[in-house]
mmCIF file of all heavy atoms in Angstrom:
data_model
loop_
_atom_site.group_PDB
_atom_site.id
_atom_site.type_symbol
_atom_site.label_atom_id
_atom_site.label_comp_id
_atom_site.label_asym_id
_atom_site.label_seq_id
_atom_site.Cartn_x
_atom_site.Cartn_y
_atom_site.Cartn_z
ATOM 1 N N GLN A 633 -40.688 21.055 -23.095
ATOM 2 C CA GLN A 633 -41.188 20.473 -24.332
ATOM 3 C C GLN A 633 -41.484 21.443 -25.429
ATOM 4 O O GLN A 633 -41.760 21.093 -26.556
ATOM 5 C CB GLN A 633 -42.350 19.556 -24.081
ATOM 6 C CG GLN A 633 -42.024 18.291 -23.185
ATOM 7 C CD GLN A 633 -41.266 17.259 -24.011
ATOM 8 O OE1 GLN A 633 -40.890 17.364 -25.159
ATOM 9 N NE2 GLN A 633 -40.969 16.138 -23.330
ATOM 10 N N ASN A 634 -41.445 22.762 -25.000
ATOM 11 C CA ASN A 634 -41.794 23.815 -25.966
ATOM 12 C C ASN A 634 -40.613 23.954 -26.929
ATOM 13 O O ASN A 634 -39.528 24.355 -26.605
ATOM 14 C CB ASN A 634 -42.012 25.099 -25.245
ATOM 15 C CG ASN A 634 -42.560 26.225 -26.247
ATOM 16 O OD1 ASN A 634 -42.486 26.064 -27.391
ATOM 17 N ND2 ASN A 634 -42.897 27.363 -25.513
ATOM 18 N N ILE A 635 -40.808 23.728 -28.202
ATOM 19 C CA ILE A 635 -39.713 23.646 -29.240
ATOM 20 C C ILE A 635 -39.080 24.998 -29.335
ATOM 21 O O ILE A 635 -37.877 25.021 -29.628
ATOM 22 C CB ILE A 635 -40.242 23.214 -30.558
ATOM 23 C CG1 ILE A 635 -40.796 21.750 -30.503
ATOM 24 C CG2 ILE A 635 -39.277 23.377 -31.734
ATOM 25 C CD1 ILE A 635 -41.456 21.178 -31.732
ATOM 26 N N LYS A 636 -39.840 26.070 -29.125
ATOM 27 C CA LYS A 636 -39.303 27.437 -29.316
ATOM 28 C C LYS A 636 -38.167 27.682 -28.313
ATOM 29 O O LYS A 636 -37.357 28.638 -28.549
ATOM 30 C CB LYS A 636 -40.398 28.542 -29.159
ATOM 31 C CG LYS A 636 -41.389 28.379 -30.264
ATOM 32 C CD LYS A 636 -42.525 29.367 -30.133
ATOM 33 C CE LYS A 636 -43.509 29.395 -31.217
ATOM 34 N NZ LYS A 636 -44.647 30.402 -31.081
ATOM 35 N N GLN A 637 -38.185 26.954 -27.164
ATOM 36 C CA GLN A 637 -37.177 27.226 -26.108
ATOM 37 C C GLN A 637 -35.917 26.334 -26.290
ATOM 38 O O GLN A 637 -35.022 26.475 -25.500
ATOM 39 C CB GLN A 637 -37.787 27.022 -24.700
ATOM 40 C CG GLN A 637 -38.902 28.008 -24.366
ATOM 41 C CD GLN A 637 -39.510 27.767 -22.985
ATOM 42 O OE1 GLN A 637 -38.976 26.938 -22.188
ATOM 43 N NE2 GLN A 637 -40.517 28.410 -22.659
ATOM 44 N N TRP A 638 -35.920 25.542 -27.271
ATOM 45 C CA TRP A 638 -34.803 24.662 -27.532
ATOM 46 C C TRP A 638 -33.589 25.376 -28.134
ATOM 47 O O TRP A 638 -33.754 26.128 -29.036
ATOM 48 C CB TRP A 638 -35.120 23.476 -28.422
ATOM 49 C CG TRP A 638 -36.169 22.504 -27.836
ATOM 50 C CD1 TRP A 638 -36.784 22.598 -26.629
ATOM 51 C CD2 TRP A 638 -36.461 21.242 -28.282
ATOM 52 N NE1 TRP A 638 -37.604 21.604 -26.387
ATOM 53 C CE2 TRP A 638 -37.473 20.612 -27.444
ATOM 54 C CE3 TRP A 638 -36.212 20.509 -29.546
ATOM 55 C CZ2 TRP A 638 -38.062 19.399 -27.681
ATOM 56 C CZ3 TRP A 638 -36.785 19.279 -29.759
ATOM 57 C CH2 TRP A 638 -37.770 18.715 -28.769
ATOM 58 N N ASP A 639 -32.429 25.126 -27.571
ATOM 59 C CA ASP A 639 -31.193 25.718 -28.202
ATOM 60 C C ASP A 639 -30.450 24.708 -28.952
ATOM 61 O O ASP A 639 -29.537 24.016 -28.487
ATOM 62 C CB ASP A 639 -30.325 26.265 -27.037
ATOM 63 C CG ASP A 639 -29.151 27.132 -27.528
ATOM 64 O OD1 ASP A 639 -28.818 27.049 -28.659
ATOM 65 O OD2 ASP A 639 -28.589 27.892 -26.666
ATOM 66 N N PHE A 661 -34.273 18.736 -36.872
ATOM 67 C CA PHE A 661 -35.312 19.571 -36.188
ATOM 68 C C PHE A 661 -36.387 19.977 -37.240
ATOM 69 O O PHE A 661 -37.564 20.093 -37.026
ATOM 70 C CB PHE A 661 -34.589 20.807 -35.574
ATOM 71 C CG PHE A 661 -35.526 21.772 -34.915
ATOM 72 C CD1 PHE A 661 -36.066 21.320 -33.624
ATOM 73 C CD2 PHE A 661 -35.886 22.983 -35.315
ATOM 74 C CE1 PHE A 661 -36.926 22.207 -32.969
ATOM 75 C CE2 PHE A 661 -36.683 23.829 -34.692
ATOM 76 C CZ PHE A 661 -37.298 23.424 -33.471
#
Side-chain angles (χ1 to χ4, degrees):
Q633 291 288 2
N634 187 349
I635 296 174
K636 292 180 181 179
Q637 294 180 9
W638 291 10
D639 192 338
F661 183 71

